[in-house]
Amino acid sequence: MKNIELIDKINKLKKEKHAIILTHCYQNIEVDKVADYVGDSLYLSRVAANNDAKIIIFAGVYFMAETAKILSPNKKVILPQLKAGCQMADMITAEKLKDFKAKYPNLPVVCYINSTADVKAESDICCTSANAVKIVESLDSDKVLFVPDKGLGSYIDSKLENKQVISFEGFCPIHWEITPKEVEEKKNKYTDALTLIHPESNPEVIKLADFVGSTTAIMKYAKESKNKQFIIVTEKGVVDRLQRDYTEKEFIWVSEKAYCEDMKKIKLEDILKSLETEQPEINVNKDVAQKAFNCIDRMLKSS
Ligand code: 13P
Ligand code: SF4
């Protein structure tokens, strides 16, 4: 079936079924044509918590659909491709977190939203890349445990003089493996460009930034800046959307490494099938969901 037919069928069916489609900015860009909401993790979790749809179709990865289910337990939450996971979220389990806590007892645990429900259930408060510094700063402790992302953890630590952030060893390969050499090569080639970097990146890469920010912050900065050229050090979906929306500017993708295969697993065909079958549905164990809810809700209330 052609994309135009798929889009038409999806848009009709989602109205009939009172479904909404939430899409992360790293998704295949054609998914935006059927999306009701497109944004970063913080924005999408707020939408998931406050909407009156019957069905939420999440065009993202597993932890995002799981978070939506935790925030809206009475709705049917569907992830059109069950295999869309997150390599970073899979680097820590509840057991590993318990060991980490035992090594540093009595410290608050902040977990990045890019984690499983089990890990959230063992944590005190959640954060996304958009509010991480603010959330850690708000805690009444001079030492904080941060899981699973050592990239974001070290960035928060560098921003807060009075707090020590002790990070778990996880990382997002899509951001972490971009090297300073790759960024420098682009900077040397595009000398007028500003370099915008996501905080999941390596600290040596972050040193080369003109601006560091979450997906939404990078997009806002690029929109508002008078500059015409930008080197974008994050996932390709962000580069594609910026180039589509601001045709008078030029956006340079830092490296082909910044491509999340998991985020690209959902195609329009999968969305149509999932609307027709209302599968695969995401469910979370009740006890785990209640504890994980407290962790996410604390974040939503304090940012
Ligand atoms: P944000 O949406 O918070 O920028 O997260 C980036 C990411 O890695 C999502 O998987
Ligand atoms: Fe996970 Fe990184 Fe992909 Fe985001 S970009 S889903 S953190 S692997």
Side-chain angles (χ1 to χ4, degrees):
M1 209 187 294
K2 284 186 183 154
N3 270 6
I4 190 154
E5 289 170 62
L6 285 165
I7 291 165
D8 193 44
K9 282 196 169 199
I10 292 168
N11 283 334
K12 277 189 189 135
L13 202 52
K14 80 175 180 186
K15 269 197 195 122
E16 265 169 52
K17 295 205 170 193
H18 300 286
I20 52 171
I21 301 178
L22 273 52
T23 300
H24 192 273
C25 291
Y26 293 180
Q27 268 299 318
N28 297 303
I29 197 162
E30 64 269 20
V31 174
D32 287 10
K33 298 210 170 100
V34 295
D36 296 281
Y37 302 91
V38 183
D40 69 354
S41 307
L42 182 61
Y43 171 70
L44 296 177
S45 57
R46 286 197 192 284
V47 173
N50 295 300
N51 70 85
D52 48 21
K54 283 198 176 127
I55 299 175
I56 297 175
I57 307 274
F58 217 117
V61 291
Y62 196 92
F63 76 80
M64 295 180 176
E66 208 179 39
T67 302
K69 182 67 188 178
I70 293 163
L71 289 168
S72 278
N74 299 325
K75 297 193 169 94
K76 199 175 247 190
V77 176
I78 292 167
L79 180 66
Q81 263 295 347
L82 262 191
K83 286 188 196 136
C86 167
Q87 292 186 63
M88 173 158 68
D90 291 343
M91 288 180 188
I92 187 164
T93 59
E95 286 312 307
K96 285 186 191 169
L97 175 50
K98 281 181 193 160
D99 292 345
F100 189 51
K101 290 202 284 189
K103 208 169 148 195
Y104 302 99
N106 304 319
L107 295 183
V109 180
V110 182
C111 84
Y112 194 16
I113 201 161
N114 302 27
S115 56
T116 61
D118 289 337
V119 167
K120 290 185 178 84
E122 281 296 321
S123 302
D124 297 298
I125 185 164
C126 204
C127 73
T128 77
S129 61
N131 60 17
V133 174
K134 199 172 155 202
I135 295 283
V136 172
E137 192 175 24
S138 74
L139 299 175
D140 185 19
S141 168
D142 55 6
K143 285 186 185 168
V144 169
L145 300 184
F146 189 78
V147 298
D149 185 11
K150 63 179 174 185
L152 184 57
S154 108
Y155 176 70
I156 304 165
D157 187 64
S158 75
K159 299 300 280 180
L160 296 173
E161 270 182 19
N162 301 328
K163 288 209 196 290
Q164 186 190 353
V165 179
I166 304 166
S167 298
F168 190 77
E169 269 299 304
F171 58 94
C172 164
I174 282 84
H175 290 92
W176 188 257
E177 286 167 11
I178 299 164
T179 61
K181 187 166 172 265
E182 284 170 303
V183 180
E184 267 157 2
E185 274 169 12
K186 290 284 190 279
K187 276 170 127 17
N188 291 337
K189 187 166 173 197
Y190 301 95
T191 47
D192 291 336
L194 292 176
T195 304
L196 317 186
I197 303 187
H198 194 282
E200 285 174 16
S201 307
N202 194 297
E204 293 304 311
V205 163
I206 288 185
K207 279 185 195 156
L208 302 169
D210 292 298
F211 176 76
V212 183
S214 65
T215 301
T216 306
I218 287 178
M219 293 175 100
K220 185 168 181 278
Y221 186 97
K223 178 185 173 188
E224 290 171 1
S225 168
K226 290 202 164 55
N227 219 63
K228 291 281 178 217
Q229 244 186 6
F230 303 88
I231 298 162
I232 303 296
V233 186
T234 190
E235 215 278 336
K236 184 169 184 288
V238 176
V239 185
D240 293 345
R241 283 170 176 79
L242 283 168
Q243 200 57 75
R244 177 196 63 194
D245 295 343
Y246 310 109
T247 45
E248 73 287 5
K249 297 183 177 181
E250 187 186 4
F251 300 94
I252 296 120
W253 187 28
V254 67
S255 154
E256 290 187 4
K257 287 177 189 163
Y259 183 88
C260 181
E261 299 273 357
D262 279 284
M263 279 282 185
K264 305 292 193 268
K265 283 183 179 156
I266 297 173
K267 310 277 185 261
L268 287 170
E269 286 82 354
D270 302 306
I271 296 182
L272 178 59
K273 193 167 167 221
S274 70
L275 264 169
E276 285 166 347
T277 60
E278 300 188 14
Q279 291 293 332
E281 192 181 348
I282 303 300
N283 281 300
V284 184
N285 166 288
K286 269 211 170 108
D287 290 343
V288 172
Q290 185 55 56
K291 289 185 193 154
F293 175 84
N294 295 338
C295 169
I296 306 164
D297 190 50
R298 209 176 147 196
M299 165 187 86
L300 294 176
K301 285 187 173 136
S302 60
S303 68

